[in-house]
Amino acid sequence: MTTDDLMTIPVIDIAPLLAKCDDPNIADDKDLLEVVAVLDQACREVGFFYVKGHGVSDSLIKDVRDLTRIFFHLQDDEKLKIKLTSKTGFRGYQSIAQNVTKGLPDLHEAIDVYKEIKPGTYGQLGTALVGSNQWPENPVRMKSVLEEYVDVLNEISRKIMRGIALALGGPVDTFEQEQMAGDHFWVMRLIGYPGLNSGSKNTDSVGCGAHTDYGLLTLVNQDEGINALQVKNQNDEWIPAVPIPGTFVCNIGDMLQIWSNGEYKSTVHRVIVDSPNYRVSVPFFYEPNFDALVEPLKVCKDRSSGVSRFEKVVYGEHLVRKVLTNFGSY
Ligand SMILES: N=C(N)NCCCC[C@H](N)C(=O)O
Ligand SMILES: O=C(O)CCC(=O)C(=O)O
Ligand SMILES: [Fe+2]
């Protein structure tokens, strides 16, 4: 990469990948292999890209953000009916500044949603997150719309992971193996960031402190017209991930960084609010199996003389450790 494009976040049309990734003869499909090549470059150099050609209707994407906005504009007593605590498996509503990143409170409110974990499923490992989701009663359509949205994004993510498997030089179904993401976990956060009030004009507020995502792949559905999400480049400068209508912002998580032996980066990002308007963003996180033991893939290690650049990690342990530091005192 040249110095003046450190970095551009590329826009990738994934339509050919979605159309053909489940066909037996993908190895001969030029359009699909072209998508795989650009995915590989984006994951290697940036760790962030926009996806278009994903096939999700504009109306569903917008509905998800609009319902989220309506919920956050309700009175506190209504929102606190689904309050997140350690007893709800950390599922539900958290007030502004309840989530902590690197010791500092984040200026956002959110509803955290996780794939259901039935008691005992993963033994001790799963205990902290055991539970079913707490859905708002209001707006009434919220639960059904979000459940549909989760199904749709799970399927798109599985297909992007097929492209990434090929990009890494492995079999197309690498991540669908039983021990990896064959029974994958997922997380969704519905986030609201209050606008800056005019009294505090000169101080931007930290909506979400600098962090990396925890799993495989994140798909962010962010409000249009507000710049807030920023991505750190290799020169330690913050580059805005400007909203592009009709796209998802996609980024690599910690587990994919490990599986790829660091060839793909879980890039640091943050949210800085400098707009007077309330901002909604809904990241969807596609994750490994909750109990997956994650360690560099052989295809990747073979490109670095057999050297593993990362220790093995159990995904669920990584997630629970993060969640407990995010909500230490609840
Ligand atoms: N499930 C995900 N990736 N959530 C990301 C939230 C990042 C902020 C969090 N307080 C942290 O310190 O990580
Ligand atoms: O608000 C956003 O657009 C992104 C939030 C984020 O990075 C996260 O929750 O992991
Ligand atoms: Fe994030």
Side-chain angles (χ1 to χ4, degrees), residues 120-262:
T121 315
Y122 303 109
Q124 192 55 31
L125 176 64
T127 322
L129 290 168
V130 163
S132 329
N133 289 313
Q134 303 202 79
W135 298 104
E137 283 168 27
N138 254 311
V140 282
R141 294 171 51 245
M142 198 150 177
K143 176 172 190 272
S144 63
V145 170
L146 289 172
E147 284 179 336
E148 180 194 348
Y149 187 72
V150 167
D151 288 346
V152 169
L153 290 209
N154 268 320
E155 185 61 0
I156 291 170
S157 305
R158 181 185 69 79
K159 292 178 172 178
I160 298 174
M161 290 309 299
R162 288 201 142 208
I164 287 178
L166 294 174
L168 286 170
V172 68
D173 60 353
T174 301
F175 297 102
E176 287 165 39
Q177 292 173 69
E178 229 174 291
Q179 320 295 341
M180 300 184 76
D183 178 26
H184 76 279
F185 197 64
W186 57 264
V187 183
M188 181 169 62
R189 308 196 66 216
L190 313 166
I191 314 176
Y193 300 89
L196 274 191
N197 56 45
S198 48
S200 54
K201 257 218 161 70
N202 299 321
T203 46
D204 294 347
S205 85
V206 179
C208 187
H211 67 280
T212 57
D213 291 344
Y214 317 148
L216 284 179
L217 192 69
T218 307
L219 273 73
V220 181
N221 172 2
Q222 59 171 334
D223 259 346
E224 295 171 8
I226 302 177
N227 293 343
L229 178 57
Q230 302 179 341
V231 180
K232 206 177 210 181
N233 73 8
Q234 285 133 329
N235 284 356
D236 284 349
E237 296 153 346
W238 291 106
I239 307 299
V242 174
I244 303 180
T247 69
F248 294 101
V249 176
C250 212
N251 64 284
I252 303 300
D254 299 336
M255 298 301 107
L256 185 51
Q257 172 165 288
I258 297 177
W259 262 328
S260 69
N261 203 22

Side-chain angles (χ1 to χ4, degrees), residues 99-102 106 108 114 187 189 208-215 218 285 287 319 322 325-326:
N99 197 318
V100 169
T101 302
K102 302 228 172 72
D106 291 326
H108 70 245
Y114 296 89
V187 183
R189 308 196 66 216
C208 187
H211 67 280
T212 57
D213 291 344
Y214 317 148
T218 307
F285 305 96
E287 312 283 271
L319 176 64
K322 291 287 188 177
T325 55
N326 289 341

